[in-house]
PDB file of all heavy atoms in Angstrom:
ATOM      1  N   LYS A   1     183.774  86.547  82.302  1.00 73.00           N
ATOM      2  CA  LYS A   1     185.186  86.851  82.457  1.00 73.00           C
ATOM      3  C   LYS A   1     185.859  86.792  81.087  1.00 73.00           C
ATOM      4  O   LYS A   1     186.055  85.724  80.525  1.00 73.00           O
ATOM      5  CB  LYS A   1     185.828  85.853  83.418  1.00 73.00           C
ATOM      6  CG  LYS A   1     187.071  86.358  84.097  1.00 73.00           C
ATOM      7  CD  LYS A   1     187.454  85.447  85.258  1.00 73.00           C
ATOM      8  CE  LYS A   1     188.652  86.026  86.006  1.00 73.00           C
ATOM      9  NZ  LYS A   1     189.016  85.176  87.166  1.00 73.00           N
ATOM     10  N   PHE A   2     186.184  87.973  80.557  1.00 65.00           N
ATOM     11  CA  PHE A   2     186.755  88.023  79.214  1.00 65.00           C
ATOM     12  C   PHE A   2     188.111  87.342  79.134  1.00 65.00           C
ATOM     13  O   PHE A   2     188.511  86.852  78.072  1.00 65.00           O
ATOM     14  CB  PHE A   2     186.871  89.483  78.750  1.00 65.00           C
ATOM     15  CG  PHE A   2     185.563  90.091  78.377  1.00 65.00           C
ATOM     16  CD1 PHE A   2     184.815  90.798  79.303  1.00 65.00           C
ATOM     17  CD2 PHE A   2     185.049  89.935  77.102  1.00 65.00           C
ATOM     18  CE1 PHE A   2     183.592  91.333  78.965  1.00 65.00           C
ATOM     19  CE2 PHE A   2     183.824  90.478  76.744  1.00 65.00           C
ATOM     20  CZ  PHE A   2     183.087  91.185  77.686  1.00 65.00           C
ATOM     21  N   THR A   3     188.846  87.293  80.259  1.00 64.00           N
ATOM     22  CA  THR A   3     190.168  86.665  80.233  1.00 64.00           C
ATOM     23  C   THR A   3     190.079  85.169  79.900  1.00 64.00           C
ATOM     24  O   THR A   3     191.042  84.584  79.421  1.00 64.00           O
ATOM     25  CB  THR A   3     190.878  86.843  81.587  1.00 64.00           C
ATOM     26  OG1 THR A   3     190.023  86.373  82.631  1.00 64.00           O
ATOM     27  CG2 THR A   3     191.224  88.306  81.826  1.00 64.00           C
ATOM     28  N   SER A   4     188.902  84.578  80.141  1.00 64.00           N
ATOM     29  CA  SER A   4     188.741  83.156  79.846  1.00 64.00           C
ATOM     30  C   SER A   4     188.706  82.890  78.346  1.00 64.00           C
ATOM     31  O   SER A   4     188.785  81.740  77.899  1.00 64.00           O
ATOM     32  CB  SER A   4     187.452  82.629  80.488  1.00 64.00           C
ATOM     33  OG  SER A   4     186.312  83.238  79.901  1.00 64.00           O
ATOM     34  N   LEU A   5     188.574  83.966  77.546  1.00 62.00           N
ATOM     35  CA  LEU A   5     188.489  83.805  76.087  1.00 62.00           C
ATOM     36  C   LEU A   5     189.815  84.013  75.376  1.00 62.00           C
ATOM     37  O   LEU A   5     189.906  83.810  74.159  1.00 62.00           O
ATOM     38  CB  LEU A   5     187.464  84.800  75.530  1.00 62.00           C
ATOM     39  CG  LEU A   5     186.025  84.665  76.024  1.00 62.00           C
ATOM     40  CD1 LEU A   5     185.156  85.705  75.343  1.00 62.00           C
ATOM     41  CD2 LEU A   5     185.482  83.278  75.782  1.00 62.00           C
ATOM     42  N   ILE A   6     190.831  84.432  76.136  1.00 65.00           N
ATOM     43  CA  ILE A   6     192.116  84.746  75.506  1.00 65.00           C
ATOM     44  C   ILE A   6     192.649  83.575  74.693  1.00 65.00           C
ATOM     45  O   ILE A   6     193.183  83.746  73.587  1.00 65.00           O
ATOM     46  CB  ILE A   6     193.142  85.174  76.577  1.00 65.00           C
ATOM     47  CG1 ILE A   6     192.721  86.527  77.184  1.00 65.00           C
ATOM     48  CG2 ILE A   6     194.545  85.268  75.987  1.00 65.00           C
ATOM     49  CD1 ILE A   6     193.586  86.986  78.332  1.00 65.00           C
ATOM     50  N   LYS A   7     192.452  82.368  75.212  1.00 67.00           N
ATOM     51  CA  LYS A   7     192.988  81.180  74.520  1.00 67.00           C
ATOM     52  C   LYS A   7     192.340  80.951  73.154  1.00 67.00           C
ATOM     53  O   LYS A   7     192.881  80.223  72.313  1.00 67.00           O
ATOM     54  CB  LYS A   7     192.800  79.945  75.393  1.00 67.00           C
ATOM     55  CG  LYS A   7     191.350  79.646  75.748  1.00 67.00           C
ATOM     56  CD  LYS A   7     191.258  78.488  76.724  1.00 67.00           C
ATOM     57  CE  LYS A   7     189.809  78.244  77.157  1.00 67.00           C
ATOM     58  NZ  LYS A   7     189.717  77.175  78.176  1.00 67.00           N
ATOM     59  N   TYR A   8     191.162  81.578  72.927  1.00 63.00           N
ATOM     60  CA  TYR A   8     190.479  81.366  71.657  1.00 63.00           C
ATOM     61  C   TYR A   8     190.843  82.413  70.596  1.00 63.00           C
ATOM     62  O   TYR A   8     190.515  82.247  69.419  1.00 63.00           O
ATOM     63  CB  TYR A   8     188.957  81.400  71.862  1.00 63.00           C
ATOM     64  CG  TYR A   8     188.449  80.318  72.778  1.00 63.00           C
ATOM     65  CD1 TYR A   8     187.909  80.640  74.023  1.00 63.00           C
ATOM     66  CD2 TYR A   8     188.495  78.970  72.408  1.00 63.00           C
ATOM     67  CE1 TYR A   8     187.427  79.651  74.876  1.00 63.00           C
ATOM     68  CE2 TYR A   8     188.016  77.980  73.249  1.00 63.00           C
ATOM     69  CZ  TYR A   8     187.484  78.323  74.485  1.00 63.00           C
ATOM     70  OH  TYR A   8     187.019  77.347  75.324  1.00 63.00           O
ATOM     71  N   ILE A   9     191.474  83.511  71.014  1.00 67.00           N
ATOM     72  CA  ILE A   9     191.790  84.602  70.094  1.00 67.00           C
ATOM     73  C   ILE A   9     192.618  84.137  68.894  1.00 67.00           C
ATOM     74  O   ILE A   9     192.310  84.506  67.740  1.00 67.00           O
ATOM     75  CB  ILE A   9     192.513  85.755  70.828  1.00 67.00           C
ATOM     76  CG1 ILE A   9     191.604  86.332  71.933  1.00 67.00           C
ATOM     77  CG2 ILE A   9     192.933  86.838  69.851  1.00 67.00           C
ATOM     78  CD1 ILE A   9     190.314  86.918  71.442  1.00 67.00           C
ATOM     79  N   PRO A  10     193.664  83.302  69.103  1.00 70.00           N
ATOM     80  CA  PRO A  10     194.434  82.835  67.921  1.00 70.00           C
ATOM     81  C   PRO A  10     193.560  82.104  66.906  1.00 70.00           C
ATOM     82  O   PRO A  10     193.790  82.218  65.693  1.00 70.00           O
ATOM     83  CB  PRO A  10     195.474  81.889  68.545  1.00 70.00           C
ATOM     84  CG  PRO A  10     195.641  82.385  69.949  1.00 70.00           C
ATOM     85  CD  PRO A  10     194.270  82.843  70.362  1.00 70.00           C
ATOM     86  N   LEU A  11     192.557  81.358  67.390  1.00 64.00           N
ATOM     87  CA  LEU A  11     191.673  80.629  66.474  1.00 64.00           C
ATOM     88  C   LEU A  11     190.837  81.581  65.638  1.00 64.00           C
ATOM     89  O   LEU A  11     190.554  81.310  64.469  1.00 64.00           O
ATOM     90  CB  LEU A  11     190.769  79.677  67.260  1.00 64.00           C
ATOM     91  CG  LEU A  11     191.479  78.538  68.011  1.00 64.00           C
ATOM     92  CD1 LEU A  11     190.469  77.732  68.835  1.00 64.00           C
ATOM     93  CD2 LEU A  11     192.208  77.629  67.030  1.00 64.00           C
ATOM     94  N   VAL A  12     190.440  82.709  66.248  1.00 65.00           N
ATOM     95  CA  VAL A  12     189.686  83.725  65.506  1.00 65.00           C
ATOM     96  C   VAL A  12     190.584  84.374  64.458  1.00 65.00           C
ATOM     97  O   VAL A  12     190.168  84.596  63.317  1.00 65.00           O
ATOM     98  CB  VAL A  12     189.115  84.796  66.469  1.00 65.00           C
ATOM     99  CG1 VAL A  12     188.436  85.916  65.675  1.00 65.00           C
ATOM    100  CG2 VAL A  12     188.131  84.163  67.443  1.00 65.00           C
ATOM    101  N   LEU A  13     191.837  84.639  64.846  1.00 67.00           N
ATOM    102  CA  LEU A  13     192.763  85.311  63.937  1.00 67.00           C
ATOM    103  C   LEU A  13     193.082  84.473  62.710  1.00 67.00           C
ATOM    104  O   LEU A  13     193.276  85.009  61.615  1.00 67.00           O
ATOM    105  CB  LEU A  13     194.055  85.660  64.683  1.00 67.00           C
ATOM    106  CG  LEU A  13     193.918  86.721  65.793  1.00 67.00           C
ATOM    107  CD1 LEU A  13     195.233  86.908  66.524  1.00 67.00           C
ATOM    108  CD2 LEU A  13     193.440  88.049  65.218  1.00 67.00           C
ATOM    109  N   ILE A  14     193.129  83.151  62.896  1.00 68.00           N
ATOM    110  CA  ILE A  14     193.411  82.282  61.737  1.00 68.00           C
ATOM    111  C   ILE A  14     192.120  81.758  61.109  1.00 68.00           C
ATOM    112  O   ILE A  14     192.132  80.845  60.286  1.00 68.00           O
ATOM    113  CB  ILE A  14     194.337  81.111  62.130  1.00 68.00           C
ATOM    114  CG1 ILE A  14     193.668  80.206  63.173  1.00 68.00           C
ATOM    115  CG2 ILE A  14     195.686  81.624  62.604  1.00 68.00           C
ATOM    116  CD1 ILE A  14     194.483  78.953  63.496  1.00 68.00           C
ATOM    117  N   LYS A  15     191.004  82.323  61.557  1.00 70.00           N
ATOM    118  CA  LYS A  15     189.683  82.058  60.999  1.00 70.00           C
ATOM    119  C   LYS A  15     189.217  80.599  61.153  1.00 70.00           C
ATOM    120  O   LYS A  15     188.488  80.078  60.323  1.00 70.00           O
ATOM    121  CB  LYS A  15     189.624  82.480  59.529  1.00 70.00           C
ATOM    122  CG  LYS A  15     189.847  83.973  59.347  1.00 70.00           C
ATOM    123  CD  LYS A  15     189.682  84.418  57.917  1.00 70.00           C
ATOM    124  CE  LYS A  15     189.873  85.926  57.798  1.00 70.00           C
ATOM    125  NZ  LYS A  15     189.715  86.411  56.423  1.00 70.00           N
ATOM    126  N   LYS A  16     189.666  79.976  62.241  1.00 67.00           N
ATOM    127  CA  LYS A  16     189.149  78.656  62.581  1.00 67.00           C
ATOM    128  C   LYS A  16     187.996  78.767  63.584  1.00 67.00           C
ATOM    129  O   LYS A  16     187.375  77.779  63.949  1.00 67.00           O
ATOM    130  CB  LYS A  16     190.261  77.772  63.149  1.00 67.00           C
ATOM    131  CG  LYS A  16     191.237  77.294  62.090  1.00 67.00           C
ATOM    132  CD  LYS A  16     192.110  76.162  62.592  1.00 67.00           C
ATOM    133  CE  LYS A  16     192.964  75.601  61.465  1.00 67.00           C
ATOM    134  NZ  LYS A  16     193.798  74.462  61.931  1.00 67.00           N
ATOM    135  N   MET A  17     187.758  79.982  64.021  1.00 68.00           N
ATOM    136  CA  MET A  17     186.623  80.284  64.893  1.00 68.00           C
ATOM    137  C   MET A  17     186.082  81.651  64.502  1.00 68.00           C
ATOM    138  O   MET A  17     186.860  82.583  64.288  1.00 68.00           O
ATOM    139  CB  MET A  17     187.046  80.280  66.373  1.00 68.00           C
ATOM    140  CG  MET A  17     185.915  80.607  67.342  1.00 68.00           C
ATOM    141  SD  MET A  17     186.450  80.604  69.072  1.00 68.00           S
ATOM    142  CE  MET A  17     186.486  78.846  69.392  1.00 68.00           C
ATOM    143  N   THR A  18     184.777  81.764  64.373  1.00 71.00           N
ATOM    144  CA  THR A  18     184.178  83.034  63.980  1.00 71.00           C
ATOM    145  C   THR A  18     183.943  83.912  65.214  1.00 71.00           C
ATOM    146  O   THR A  18     183.881  83.400  66.345  1.00 71.00           O
ATOM    147  CB  THR A  18     182.825  82.818  63.285  1.00 71.00           C
ATOM    148  OG1 THR A  18     181.888  82.303  64.251  1.00 71.00           O
ATOM    149  CG2 THR A  18     182.952  81.848  62.124  1.00 71.00           C
ATOM    150  N   PRO A  19     183.784  85.235  65.029  1.00 67.00           N
ATOM    151  CA  PRO A  19     183.447  86.103  66.144  1.00 67.00           C
ATOM    152  C   PRO A  19     182.157  85.662  66.853  1.00 67.00           C
ATOM    153  O   PRO A  19     182.034  85.793  68.069  1.00 67.00           O
ATOM    154  CB  PRO A  19     183.275  87.477  65.492  1.00 67.00           C
ATOM    155  CG  PRO A  19     184.167  87.431  64.298  1.00 67.00           C
ATOM    156  CD  PRO A  19     184.058  86.012  63.800  1.00 67.00           C
ATOM    157  N   ASN A  20     181.213  85.108  66.093  1.00 68.00           N
ATOM    158  CA  ASN A  20     179.975  84.626  66.702  1.00 68.00           C
ATOM    159  C   ASN A  20     180.242  83.387  67.568  1.00 68.00           C
ATOM    160  O   ASN A  20     179.628  83.214  68.624  1.00 68.00           O
ATOM    161  CB  ASN A  20     178.944  84.295  65.632  1.00 68.00           C
ATOM    162  CG  ASN A  20     177.543  84.185  66.201  1.00 68.00           C
ATOM    163  OD1 ASN A  20     177.089  85.072  66.926  1.00 68.00           O
ATOM    164  ND2 ASN A  20     176.845  83.097  65.911  1.00 68.00           N
ATOM    165  N   ASP A  21     181.186  82.535  67.130  1.00 68.00           N
ATOM    166  CA  ASP A  21     181.589  81.390  67.951  1.00 68.00           C
ATOM    167  C   ASP A  21     182.175  81.883  69.271  1.00 68.00           C
ATOM    168  O   ASP A  21     181.925  81.309  70.338  1.00 68.00           O
ATOM    169  CB  ASP A  21     182.626  80.537  67.227  1.00 68.00           C
ATOM    170  CG  ASP A  21     182.061  79.802  66.017  1.00 68.00           C
ATOM    171  OD1 ASP A  21     180.843  79.556  66.012  1.00 68.00           O
ATOM    172  OD2 ASP A  21     182.834  79.496  65.099  1.00 68.00           O
ATOM    173  N   LEU A  22     182.965  82.949  69.181  1.00 63.00           N
ATOM    174  CA  LEU A  22     183.579  83.521  70.372  1.00 63.00           C
ATOM    175  C   LEU A  22     182.516  84.071  71.313  1.00 63.00           C
ATOM    176  O   LEU A  22     182.590  83.895  72.537  1.00 63.00           O
ATOM    177  CB  LEU A  22     184.553  84.637  69.962  1.00 63.00           C
ATOM    178  CG  LEU A  22     185.538  85.111  71.028  1.00 63.00           C
ATOM    179  CD1 LEU A  22     186.513  84.010  71.392  1.00 63.00           C
ATOM    180  CD2 LEU A  22     186.297  86.337  70.528  1.00 63.00           C
ATOM    181  N   ARG A  23     181.514  84.704  70.725  1.00 67.00           N
ATOM    182  CA  ARG A  23     180.405  85.226  71.533  1.00 67.00           C
ATOM    183  C   ARG A  23     179.674  84.086  72.239  1.00 67.00           C
ATOM    184  O   ARG A  23     179.278  84.198  73.405  1.00 67.00           O
ATOM    185  CB  ARG A  23     179.436  86.013  70.641  1.00 67.00           C
ATOM    186  CG  ARG A  23     178.251  86.603  71.374  1.00 67.00           C
ATOM    187  CD  ARG A  23     177.348  87.385  70.425  1.00 67.00           C
ATOM    188  NE  ARG A  23     176.211  87.911  71.163  1.00 67.00           N
ATOM    189  CZ  ARG A  23     175.098  87.240  71.399  1.00 67.00           C
ATOM    190  NH1 ARG A  23     174.976  85.989  70.956  1.00 67.00           N
ATOM    191  NH2 ARG A  23     174.107  87.783  72.075  1.00 67.00           N
ATOM    192  N   ASN A  24     179.481  82.973  71.541  1.00 67.00           N
ATOM    193  CA  ASN A  24     178.817  81.827  72.154  1.00 67.00           C
ATOM    194  C   ASN A  24     179.636  81.264  73.312  1.00 67.00           C
ATOM    195  O   ASN A  24     179.077  80.850  74.332  1.00 67.00           O
ATOM    196  CB  ASN A  24     178.562  80.739  71.113  1.00 67.00           C
ATOM    197  CG  ASN A  24     177.493  81.134  70.105  1.00 67.00           C
ATOM    198  OD1 ASN A  24     176.624  81.945  70.409  1.00 67.00           O
ATOM    199  ND2 ASN A  24     177.552  80.577  68.904  1.00 67.00           N
ATOM    200  N   LYS A  25     180.971  81.257  73.152  1.00 66.00           N
ATOM    201  CA  LYS A  25     181.837  80.804  74.234  1.00 66.00           C
ATOM    202  C   LYS A  25     181.688  81.722  75.448  1.00 66.00           C
ATOM    203  O   LYS A  25     181.687  81.269  76.596  1.00 66.00           O
ATOM    204  CB  LYS A  25     183.295  80.796  73.773  1.00 66.00           C
ATOM    205  CG  LYS A  25     183.644  79.695  72.783  1.00 66.00           C
ATOM    206  CD  LYS A  25     183.701  78.339  73.481  1.00 66.00           C
ATOM    207  CE  LYS A  25     184.150  77.253  72.524  1.00 66.00           C
ATOM    208  NZ  LYS A  25     184.113  75.908  73.162  1.00 66.00           N
ATOM    209  N   LEU A  26     181.572  83.026  75.166  1.00 69.00           N
ATOM    210  CA  LEU A  26     181.392  84.005  76.243  1.00 69.00           C
ATOM    211  C   LEU A  26     180.078  83.742  76.972  1.00 69.00           C
ATOM    212  O   LEU A  26     180.022  83.753  78.211  1.00 69.00           O
ATOM    213  CB  LEU A  26     181.409  85.421  75.663  1.00 69.00           C
ATOM    214  CG  LEU A  26     181.533  86.576  76.665  1.00 69.00           C
ATOM    215  CD1 LEU A  26     182.880  86.533  77.361  1.00 69.00           C
ATOM    216  CD2 LEU A  26     181.341  87.914  75.957  1.00 69.00           C
ATOM    217  N   ASN A  27     179.028  83.496  76.204  1.00 72.00           N
ATOM    218  CA  ASN A  27     177.733  83.199  76.813  1.00 72.00           C
ATOM    219  C   ASN A  27     177.774  81.926  77.652  1.00 72.00           C
ATOM    220  O   ASN A  27     177.139  81.836  78.705  1.00 72.00           O
ATOM    221  CB  ASN A  27     176.657  83.066  75.727  1.00 72.00           C
ATOM    222  CG  ASN A  27     176.230  84.397  75.148  1.00 72.00           C
ATOM    223  OD1 ASN A  27     176.416  85.440  75.773  1.00 72.00           O
ATOM    224  ND2 ASN A  27     175.680  84.384  73.956  1.00 72.00           N
ATOM    225  N   GLU A  28     178.538  80.950  77.180  1.00 78.00           N
ATOM    226  CA  GLU A  28     178.643  79.689  77.912  1.00 78.00           C
ATOM    227  C   GLU A  28     179.329  79.856  79.264  1.00 78.00           C
ATOM    228  O   GLU A  28     179.095  79.071  80.185  1.00 78.00           O
ATOM    229  CB  GLU A  28     179.424  78.660  77.073  1.00 78.00           C
ATOM    230  CG  GLU A  28     178.651  78.147  75.860  1.00 78.00           C
ATOM    231  CD  GLU A  28     179.537  77.342  74.909  1.00 78.00           C
ATOM    232  OE1 GLU A  28     180.705  77.066  75.277  1.00 78.00           O
ATOM    233  OE2 GLU A  28     179.062  77.008  73.809  1.00 78.00           O
ATOM    234  N   SER A  29     180.144  80.892  79.374  1.00 81.00           N
ATOM    235  CA  SER A  29     180.876  81.116  80.619  1.00 81.00           C
ATOM    236  C   SER A  29     180.063  81.862  81.676  1.00 81.00           C
ATOM    237  O   SER A  29     180.468  81.948  82.839  1.00 81.00           O
ATOM    238  CB  SER A  29     182.163  81.909  80.334  1.00 81.00           C
ATOM    239  OG  SER A  29     181.881  83.258  80.003  1.00 81.00           O
ATOM    240  N   VAL A  30     178.909  82.387  81.281  1.00 89.00           N
ATOM    241  CA  VAL A  30     178.117  83.225  82.183  1.00 89.00           C
ATOM    242  C   VAL A  30     177.647  82.485  83.441  1.00 89.00           C
ATOM    243  O   VAL A  30     177.822  83.004  84.553  1.00 89.00           O
ATOM    244  CB  VAL A  30     176.925  83.860  81.437  1.00 89.00           C
ATOM    245  CG1 VAL A  30     175.966  84.551  82.413  1.00 89.00           C
ATOM    246  CG2 VAL A  30     177.425  84.863  80.408  1.00 89.00           C
ATOM    247  N   PRO A  31     177.032  81.308  83.332  1.00 90.00           N
ATOM    248  CA  PRO A  31     176.529  80.649  84.555  1.00 90.00           C
ATOM    249  C   PRO A  31     177.602  80.434  85.619  1.00 90.00           C
ATOM    250  O   PRO A  31     177.355  80.655  86.808  1.00 90.00           O
ATOM    251  CB  PRO A  31     175.986  79.314  84.033  1.00 90.00           C
ATOM    252  CG  PRO A  31     175.646  79.569  82.603  1.00 90.00           C
ATOM    253  CD  PRO A  31     176.685  80.527  82.129  1.00 90.00           C
ATOM    254  N   HIS A  32     178.789  80.023  85.194  1.00 91.00           N
ATOM    255  CA  HIS A  32     179.869  79.798  86.162  1.00 91.00           C
ATOM    256  C   HIS A  32     180.286  81.108  86.813  1.00 91.00           C
ATOM    257  O   HIS A  32     180.486  81.180  88.038  1.00 91.00           O
ATOM    258  CB  HIS A  32     181.078  79.143  85.478  1.00 91.00           C
ATOM    259  CG  HIS A  32     182.221  78.875  86.404  1.00 91.00           C
ATOM    260  ND1 HIS A  32     183.290  79.739  86.543  1.00 91.00           N
ATOM    261  CD2 HIS A  32     182.442  77.850  87.277  1.00 91.00           C
ATOM    262  CE1 HIS A  32     184.129  79.276  87.439  1.00 91.00           C
ATOM    263  NE2 HIS A  32     183.640  78.122  87.902  1.00 91.00           N
ATOM    264  N   TYR A  33     180.411  82.160  86.005  1.00 92.00           N
ATOM    265  CA  TYR A  33     180.823  83.461  86.540  1.00 92.00           C
ATOM    266  C   TYR A  33     179.802  83.984  87.552  1.00 92.00           C
ATOM    267  O   TYR A  33     180.159  84.384  88.661  1.00 92.00           O
ATOM    268  CB  TYR A  33     180.995  84.457  85.396  1.00 92.00           C
ATOM    269  CG  TYR A  33     181.391  85.846  85.856  1.00 92.00           C
ATOM    270  CD1 TYR A  33     182.712  86.145  86.168  1.00 92.00           C
ATOM    271  CD2 TYR A  33     180.433  86.857  85.972  1.00 92.00           C
ATOM    272  CE1 TYR A  33     183.082  87.407  86.589  1.00 92.00           C
ATOM    273  CE2 TYR A  33     180.798  88.132  86.389  1.00 92.00           C
ATOM    274  CZ  TYR A  33     182.121  88.396  86.706  1.00 92.00           C
ATOM    275  OH  TYR A  33     182.481  89.654  87.137  1.00 92.00           O
ATOM    276  N   ILE A  34     178.539  83.983  87.166  1.00 95.00           N
ATOM    277  CA  ILE A  34     177.481  84.503  88.041  1.00 95.00           C
ATOM    278  C   ILE A  34     177.373  83.673  89.328  1.00 95.00           C
ATOM    279  O   ILE A  34     177.223  84.214  90.429  1.00 95.00           O
ATOM    280  CB  ILE A  34     176.126  84.523  87.310  1.00 95.00           C
ATOM    281  CG1 ILE A  34     176.161  85.536  86.160  1.00 95.00           C
ATOM    282  CG2 ILE A  34     174.970  84.841  88.263  1.00 95.00           C
ATOM    283  CD1 ILE A  34     176.374  86.970  86.579  1.00 95.00           C
ATOM    284  N   SER A  35     177.456  82.362  89.185  1.00 95.00           N
ATOM    285  CA  SER A  35     177.205  81.466  90.321  1.00 95.00           C
ATOM    286  C   SER A  35     178.368  81.386  91.298  1.00 95.00           C
ATOM    287  O   SER A  35     178.193  80.970  92.441  1.00 95.00           O
ATOM    288  CB  SER A  35     176.850  80.072  89.805  1.00 95.00           C
ATOM    289  OG  SER A  35     175.715  80.129  88.949  1.00 95.00           O
ATOM    290  N   THR A  36     179.566  81.784  90.857  1.00 95.00           N
ATOM    291  CA  THR A  36     180.741  81.703  91.738  1.00 95.00           C
ATOM    292  C   THR A  36     181.311  83.068  92.104  1.00 95.00           C
ATOM    293  O   THR A  36     182.334  83.136  92.793  1.00 95.00           O
ATOM    294  CB  THR A  36     181.851  80.857  91.081  1.00 95.00           C
ATOM    295  OG1 THR A  36     182.275  81.492  89.858  1.00 95.00           O
ATOM    296  CG2 THR A  36     181.347  79.446  90.777  1.00 95.00           C
ATOM    297  N   LEU A  37     180.686  84.132  91.654  1.00 96.00           N
ATOM    298  CA  LEU A  37     181.186  85.478  91.952  1.00 96.00           C
ATOM    299  C   LEU A  37     181.190  85.706  93.467  1.00 96.00           C
ATOM    300  O   LEU A  37     180.149  85.580  94.119  1.00 96.00           O
ATOM    301  CB  LEU A  37     180.289  86.515  91.264  1.00 96.00           C
ATOM    302  CG  LEU A  37     180.815  87.951  91.147  1.00 96.00           C
ATOM    303  CD1 LEU A  37     182.062  88.013  90.274  1.00 96.00           C
ATOM    304  CD2 LEU A  37     179.724  88.862  90.576  1.00 96.00           C
ATOM    305  N   PRO A  38     182.345  86.030  94.052  1.00 97.00           N
ATOM    306  CA  PRO A  38     182.412  86.219  95.506  1.00 97.00           C
ATOM    307  C   PRO A  38     181.484  87.331  95.973  1.00 97.00           C
ATOM    308  O   PRO A  38     181.276  88.324  95.267  1.00 97.00           O
ATOM    309  CB  PRO A  38     183.877  86.591  95.745  1.00 97.00           C
ATOM    310  CG  PRO A  38     184.613  86.065  94.549  1.00 97.00           C
ATOM    311  CD  PRO A  38     183.653  86.185  93.402  1.00 97.00           C
ATOM    312  N   LEU A  39     180.938  87.157  97.173  1.00 97.00           N
ATOM    313  CA  LEU A  39     179.988  88.126  97.713  1.00 97.00           C
ATOM    314  C   LEU A  39     180.600  89.524  97.798  1.00 97.00           C
ATOM    315  O   LEU A  39     179.914  90.525  97.549  1.00 97.00           O
ATOM    316  CB  LEU A  39     179.514  87.672  99.092  1.00 97.00           C
ATOM    317  CG  LEU A  39     178.259  88.347  99.651  1.00 97.00           C
ATOM    318  CD1 LEU A  39     177.084  88.172  98.700  1.00 97.00           C
ATOM    319  CD2 LEU A  39     177.921  87.779 101.029  1.00 97.00           C
ATOM    320  N   LYS A  40     181.874  89.596  98.117  1.00 97.00           N
ATOM    321  CA  LYS A  40     182.557  90.902  98.196  1.00 97.00           C
ATOM    322  C   LYS A  40     182.521  91.595  96.836  1.00 97.00           C
ATOM    323  O   LYS A  40     182.294  92.808  96.749  1.00 97.00           O
ATOM    324  CB  LYS A  40     183.997  90.702  98.656  1.00 97.00           C
ATOM    325  CG  LYS A  40     184.779  92.000  98.798  1.00 97.00           C
ATOM    326  CD  LYS A  40     186.200  91.735  99.261  1.00 97.00           C
ATOM    327  CE  LYS A  40     186.989  93.052  99.360  1.00 97.00           C
ATOM    328  NZ  LYS A  40     188.397  92.793  99.783  1.00 97.00           N
ATOM    329  N   LYS A  41     182.737  90.813  95.756  1.00 97.00           N
ATOM    330  CA  LYS A  41     182.702  91.376  94.408  1.00 97.00           C
ATOM    331  C   LYS A  41     181.277  91.784  94.022  1.00 97.00           C
ATOM    332  O   LYS A  41     181.073  92.811  93.366  1.00 97.00           O
ATOM    333  CB  LYS A  41     183.251  90.352  93.416  1.00 97.00           C
ATOM    334  CG  LYS A  41     183.344  90.856  91.982  1.00 97.00           C
ATOM    335  CD  LYS A  41     184.348  91.983  91.833  1.00 97.00           C
ATOM    336  CE  LYS A  41     184.502  92.398  90.378  1.00 97.00           C
ATOM    337  NZ  LYS A  41     185.419  93.555  90.226  1.00 97.00           N
TER     338      LYS A  41
END
């Protein structure tokens, strides 16, 4: 869920977080997304 990363965008813009750090955060969110995705979705 890309919307879960919105809170990190300011940190990337001020260079306190790298794009690769952001990618790692995205990867970290995968298990929760996959495991809780509603059956209808």
